[in-house]
Amino acid sequence: MADFRPELAEEARRRLGASLAEQREANRRWQAMVRSPRSRGALARYRSVLGPPESTAPRTVGDLECEALLWPLPLWPDLRFEVLAAPDGAVWNEWLVRAPGAPGPVLRAPEDLLPWSATVDEVARAFAPVRPLEGTAPTRWRLAFAAQGRPCVAEFTYGLLQRVSVDGTELDSGRPGA
């Protein structure tokens, strides 16, 4: 997320009480775990790093049956890290979603789309119909939609809004979201 919003990532690191060296070491350990030739599956990695999920529930996505696992995150108490896993444990999707019962943002106009304020699902519902676009990395998504008659594209990392462009121009929103 620091690729899009370094100032928010820096603020988040401070809120978590982590030094820059600790952040770099955590990233180094995670990258080593992900790239190891003896690497465990993604679901086992998440359980190892995040502990047991707060909740699990069966979920049907189209004709696919899977399990949805949710973990709380200290940085975002109103969000959960959701992993959708196949019956064999393969991870199909991993992203941030609104916590059950937590109110989402009120989204009526492109100017309401503040960085780190909304999830993919919230933007898709608020500005339906949307068109999914290819992201620039496996953990990134983009949605195209019209808002107030203007073409917009919202970009997300791990399902959390990072930036919005309207008529091809990025909105300048230095205001952090929730």
Side-chain angles (χ1 to χ4, degrees):
M1 292 186 196
D3 294 349
F4 285 105
R5 297 289 173 194
E7 73 286 359
L8 294 180
E10 176 65 17
E11 179 185 322
R13 182 184 61 75
R14 280 194 225 113
R15 281 179 40 205
L16 291 172
S19 70
L20 189 55
E22 289 169 322
Q23 175 188 348
R24 288 182 177 147
E25 177 58 18
N27 184 60
R28 186 198 65 74
R29 285 193 322 265
W30 176 256
Q31 294 300 327
M33 194 182 320
V34 168
R35 289 171 172 66
S36 169
R38 297 180 309 275
S39 177
R40 297 176 275 182
L43 186 55
R45 278 194 307 271
Y46 287 125
R47 287 180 184 273
S48 171
V49 172
L50 299 173
E54 173 182 76
S55 66
T56 63
R59 174 95 49 89
T60 301
V61 179
D63 62 349
L64 301 174
E65 299 291 329
C66 61
E67 181 178 37
L69 300 92
L70 295 175
W71 282 271
L73 301 168
L75 188 58
W76 294 295
D78 287 349
L79 297 176
R80 295 294 179 267
F81 187 70
E82 178 185 73
V83 171
L84 298 179
D88 67 358
V91 170
W92 288 337
N93 194 32
E94 50 203 325
W95 61 359
L96 295 165
V97 297
R98 190 69 49 193
V106 175
L107 304 174
R108 293 190 185 109
E111 293 74 22
D112 297 331
L113 295 168
L114 304 176
W116 292 18
S117 69
T119 64
V120 170
D121 185 51
E122 291 165 339
V123 173
R125 278 186 278 122
F127 297 101
V130 300
R131 185 171 42 97
L133 302 172
E134 188 171 339
T136 57
T139 59
R140 295 185 180 170
W141 293 266
R142 295 186 315 142
L143 294 178
F145 56 94
Q148 299 176 330
R150 300 179 291 171
C152 302
V153 174
E155 297 183 65
F156 303 83
T157 298
Y158 282 104
L160 190 61
L161 182 66
Q162 300 298 310
R163 66 181 171 200
V164 177
S165 61
V166 179
D167 294 319
T169 302
E170 184 176 343
L171 287 182
D172 182 22
S173 176
R175 300 172 299 158

